[in-house]
Amino acid sequence: MEVGPSVFFSLLVVAVSFIPISPWSTRRRLFKPLAYSKTLAMAFAALLAITLDPALRMLFARIEPFRFRPRWLSWAATKVAVGT
C-alpha cells in the first residue's frame, strides 16, 4: 500500500523522460530504438507495479496459515507461501 504508488510514479517519470529523445536527437537512428524500448519496458513495469505487484505482496506477506481440504495440500501450501 505504501510502496506501490511511489514505484509506479518513479517508473512513469523515467519512461516519460525518454520520450523526447527520439524526435530531437541528431543521431535519431542510434537513439530511437533505445528510447522506444526503454519507454516500453518502463511503461510495462509501471503497469505491473500497480496490478501484479500488490497481489503478489498480499499473497507472500500472508501470516495466517491456509485452511482447506485436503489437509496435506493445505499444509504444503502453508509451508511454501507462509513459512514457519
Side-chain angles (χ1 to χ4, degrees), residues 63-84:
I63 300 208
E64 61 213 35
F66 290 104
R67 292 192 179 106
F68 54 86
R69 293 192 186 265
R71 291 191 44 84
W72 66 270
L73 188 59
S74 166
W75 177 83
T78 300
K79 291 296 177 192
V80 169
V82 179
T84 54

Side-chain angles (χ1 to χ4, degrees), residues 21-34:
I21 286 178
S22 89
W24 290 320
S25 177
T26 57
R27 301 186 186 270
R28 255 186 275 183
R29 288 187 302 177
L30 178 65
F31 289 116
K32 194 173 182 179
L34 169 71

Side-chain angles (χ1 to χ4, degrees), residues 38-75:
K38 181 108 173 156
T39 302
L40 182 65
M42 289 303 208
F44 188 65
L47 181 68
L48 287 178
I50 60 170
T51 56
L52 185 65
D53 188 40
L56 289 176
R57 285 178 195 268
M58 287 179 63
L59 178 68
F60 290 125
R62 187 181 178 101
I63 300 208
E64 61 213 35
F66 290 104
R67 292 192 179 106
F68 54 86
R69 293 192 186 265
R71 291 191 44 84
W72 66 270
L73 188 59
S74 166
W75 177 83

